[in-house]
Amino acid sequence: MTSVPAPVEPATRPGRPAPGRPGPRRRGLHGRGLIPLLLGPSVLLIVVFVVAPAVYGLYLSLTNTQLTGFAARDPQFVGLENFRTLLGSDDFLASLGRTGQFVLFSAIIGQTVLGMLAALLLRRTWLRGKGVFGAAILLPMVVPEVVAALTWASVLSSSEDGTFNRLIGLFGGAAAAPLQEWPMLSIVIVNIWRGIAFAMIMFQAALEDVPDELIEASRVDGASATQVFRYVTLPLIRGPIFLYLLLTTITTVGVFGLVYFLTQGGPGSATELTSIFIFQRAFQYSQIGLGSAASVILLALLMVLGLTYVRLTKVEV
Amino acid sequence: MKRSRVLLAVATAALLTGVLAACSDGDDTAGGDDGPVTIRLLEYQQARADAVEPHLAAFEQAMAEQGRDIEVELIVDPLTDEQFRTKITQQFHSGTAPDVIDMGSTHVTGFAGAGYLLELDEYLDEWDTWGEYFDPVKDAARQVDGHFYAVPHEANVQSLFYRKDVLEQLGVDTSQPQTWDDLIARLEQVTAQTGEPSIVIPAGTAWGGGTWTEGFLPIAAGTGSTFYDEETGRWTLESEGLTASFDLYARLVEAGLMPVQDLLNPNPWEPTKYVRFPEGTMPVAAQGTWGWRYDWGPEGTAPIEDVQQKVGTWDYPALVPGTEPYSISGGGFVYAINAETEHAEAAMELAKWLSEGTAAAEQLAAIGAAAPHPGIADIEPYASDPSLLDAEEKVRTGIRAPFGDGADQVSQAVQSATEAILLGDADGEQAASAFAEEAAELLGDALVEQ
């Protein structure tokens, strides 16, 4: 196995105080309490809108709270019963499996690989029409989630008027029903389409930081384009790549609207991701306690995954 | 240092005030009991909003003549049934629901049970018209705790609607089928000639609650098996009738008589009830009374020209030996009052006003529903609609769909089990077994007959 050299960081940067030696200005700000004043609103918002709901969700997960029915009047503390139920539920475990597949194929493989290819292409000096190409890639990110989902629902419609069926009709193919016949593949493709722009932006920014001198030196030494990318570029942008993987994993696990408006988790439960399982349990079946427990399990899994990424790459987050 | 802390406190307080202001409803129109009273009425179907709006000014005028200053604010929020249920549940839970909500009666049990709706027994006892309501409508409105939480303003009869013109053209018998075997034989005749599915009965998860109220429940209710025991408040999840009902779905799917692909798509009612039935390529549909107007009437979503001549209705055929064809009532809309309203009396006055007289007659004719009491039969335009008057007659004589606490959970299990049939993952018996297992898990021991 080839060892990967760590990216070189300058000891200090011009205009920046050395570590451990706070400048007089920093001390002054701290002394006047400006930092707490500036951070206060953010901290307050995080506490009110993130921490408090999470704590309340944790509390709900330990109860049998329902939103409708006579049982809703008198919720009981049930300890870990909801967690026992979920971890013994084939439906929940299957939804976790589907979520894993969705993240792996759409985010980790699809968005990352295609985003990287797009970013590399945009660095090519010979490429014409970069603006158009970049805009085309960015467009899916700009479109609101519901609009994107409904647009794809129209494209993949099983009717003969659907865009996909019209296209295959041009080649003599029979009408298909992609959302019924290949539901997971369909939502993977749609999510790749939607997420590729963010990957491209992240990787473009990372590639900008790769010194041209290193690339040129490798080429002078006879490295092929693939070798330059594999042994020079990739190690230098490893941090941003793993940071992207962390972010895209978290956001993809939370994808709801895009899939819900396309398939509602169906057919059957073929695209019932954990986010949809939670929505159904909490709001359609009104079992908010059980839904909260599923959310807590998902949060715990994401934290483990996130910490693993951070540990593996020593990314600063 | 002190100054900075003061600054910090002021900034925090300002932010908190802003946050709280943003979170608040921002609408104090409910006001106190002094001065004018504003009642917020929610309609989540555009056609119902259009039907009710012209009567609100007359209501305000009538109240003014009684010396009561009541204004009605109509909130129109077009949603599907599932979207409505999800949204209003959150509004009830957060205390932001409107005063009066026009909703399907199937939602009432869950909301009443949770304490979101005002108990109306005293108000109804003092209302003369309530004494005239048809007994099946009253029975259906009474909740498992014996109390009433909504004012029914319409009644619905679930039937099998069929295209007379199409069946006659295909040479298929249009008389009342006595058994499902009889009907299936006719449907096979149709499909053999057209190559298309010939009947739609709501099924699967995409149809949401309709799979339960318009699809499965009317079939299961006619089998004679006990599904819900009102005395014990428990559901019986395994019975001959339930298995026969799931088996019927499986037979229809296996024979290619149901539009499986359409039922698996989101909004499955669009290609079936709004396209195939109106164009005549799928000539039979399980449907409530509202089909006459709301779906296929001249102002409906998918109008059928001369609908009264081209469309007829059958009662549900007998499914198990020893039963007869039957019509089934239930599922009409009701006015429910938010338990937290500050103006309960005014809200009740509005619900009563809209449920009788010309206001009711015009709404019933616009939506396509039967009257829940006999006092409307002579009022135009309802009086001139034979299909609605016929439905009203069936309301008195039809069987009643069972409903009780936990119906939402049973509905979900039915949706999953019928979806498995549509996907070819289960036959009738397997679907019945999967239903029993899922429903038991969702309901919990307290609501299941052991």
Side-chain angles (χ1 to χ4, degrees), chain A residues 140-152 190-191 193-194 251 254-262:
Chain A
M141 197 169 80
V142 180
V143 177
E145 191 176 48
V146 174
V147 176
L150 295 180
T151 304
W152 274 97
V190 173
N191 196 48
W193 168 83
R194 186 156 166 79
T251 53
V255 165
F256 172 77
L258 199 65
V259 177
Y260 190 76
F261 286 108
L262 268 177

Side-chain angles (χ1 to χ4, degrees), chain B residues 5-358:
Chain B
R5 282 188 181 165
V6 170
L7 269 175
L8 185 65
V10 169
T12 306
L15 186 72
L16 198 60
T17 307
V19 167
L20 292 175
C23 290
S24 74
D25 192 23
D27 180 3
D28 59 356
T29 51
D33 282 325
D34 300 333
V37 166
T38 299
I39 299 295
R40 292 181 300 151
L41 166 66
L42 173 67
E43 292 285 358
Y44 71 92
Q45 293 183 347
Q46 188 64 51
R48 291 180 185 279
D50 294 342
V52 81
E53 191 172 18
H55 302 288
L56 300 181
F59 167 73
E60 291 169 354
Q61 178 66 31
M63 291 296 108
E65 285 167 10
Q66 292 176 21
R68 305 176 70 177
D69 192 359
I70 301 176
E71 282 182 16
V72 182
E73 181 191 340
L74 178 62
I75 301 169
V76 184
D77 190 9
L79 298 167
T80 66
D81 278 338
E82 288 299 307
Q83 289 167 344
F84 161 75
R85 199 171 71 86
T86 305
K87 187 170 180 178
I88 198 71
T89 303
Q90 308 313 311
Q91 289 182 331
F92 278 133
H93 204 63
S94 60
T96 58
D99 302 284
V100 182
I101 304 107
D102 189 10
M103 65 169 91
S105 60
T106 52
H107 298 302
V108 173
T109 305
F111 294 151
Y116 300 145
L117 303 181
L118 189 68
E119 187 195 305
L120 304 178
D121 295 16
E122 284 183 24
Y123 297 103
L124 292 171
D125 287 343
E126 292 170 4
W127 184 31
D128 293 341
T129 305
W130 182 243
E132 297 167 11
Y133 265 67
F134 299 131
D135 285 339
V137 176
K138 276 185 171 179
D139 291 343
R142 187 182 294 109
Q143 297 303 312
V144 288
D145 60 358
H147 298 293
F148 296 97
Y149 293 88
V151 181
H153 61 87
E154 62 183 45
N156 169 53
V157 176
Q158 195 72 23
S159 311
L160 295 177
F161 282 57
Y162 65 94
R163 288 293 299 265
K164 274 189 280 194
D165 55 337
V166 175
L167 294 185
E168 282 166 4
Q169 199 181 343
L170 295 172
V172 176
D173 184 6
T174 59
S175 65
Q176 169 65 48
Q178 296 302 306
T179 64
W180 272 99
D181 287 340
D182 181 10
L183 178 56
I184 287 172
R186 295 186 204 177
L187 296 172
E188 284 173 339
Q189 259 183 285
V190 174
T191 296
Q193 294 184 63
T194 64
E196 300 276 343
S198 44
I199 184 171
V200 60
I201 299 175
T205 54
W207 210 304
T211 290
W212 164 241
T213 53
E214 300 168 43
F216 188 83
L217 190 57
I219 296 171
T223 61
S225 296
T226 301
F227 197 5
Y228 178 75
D229 187 329
E230 290 181 357
E231 286 185 13
T232 61
R234 290 168 183 264
W235 295 85
T236 301
L237 302 176
E238 289 175 272
S239 68
E240 183 193 357
L242 286 173
T243 305
S245 304
F246 283 112
D247 197 45
L248 173 64
Y249 273 89
R251 283 175 67 194
L252 294 170
V253 168
E254 281 165 20
L257 304 177
M258 290 260 275
V260 171
Q261 205 67 259
D262 292 338
L263 289 168
L264 290 171
N265 272 330
N267 302 340
W269 50 88
E270 288 176 358
T272 53
K273 289 189 177 177
Y274 295 166
V275 178
R276 289 176 185 264
F277 189 83
E279 72 185 10
T281 51
M282 194 182 58
V284 185
Q287 172 71 42
T289 314
W290 67 88
W292 290 114
R293 291 299 176 94
Y294 189 82
D295 290 336
W296 304 314
E299 309 293 327
T301 310
I304 297 174
E305 203 177 334
D306 300 325
V307 65
Q308 300 279 358
Q309 279 74 48
K310 290 182 177 173
V311 175
T313 60
W314 288 320
D315 286 346
Y316 278 80
L319 181 60
V320 297
T323 57
E324 298 288 329
Y326 58 94
S327 60
I328 182 157
S329 64
F333 267 55
V334 299
Y335 290 117
I337 297 174
N338 184 350
E340 292 186 6
T341 182
E342 292 176 22
H343 309 295
E345 285 196 16
M348 187 63 194
E349 285 301 327
L350 177 64
K352 289 192 302 190
W353 171 270
L354 292 173
S355 302
E356 58 187 353
T358 307

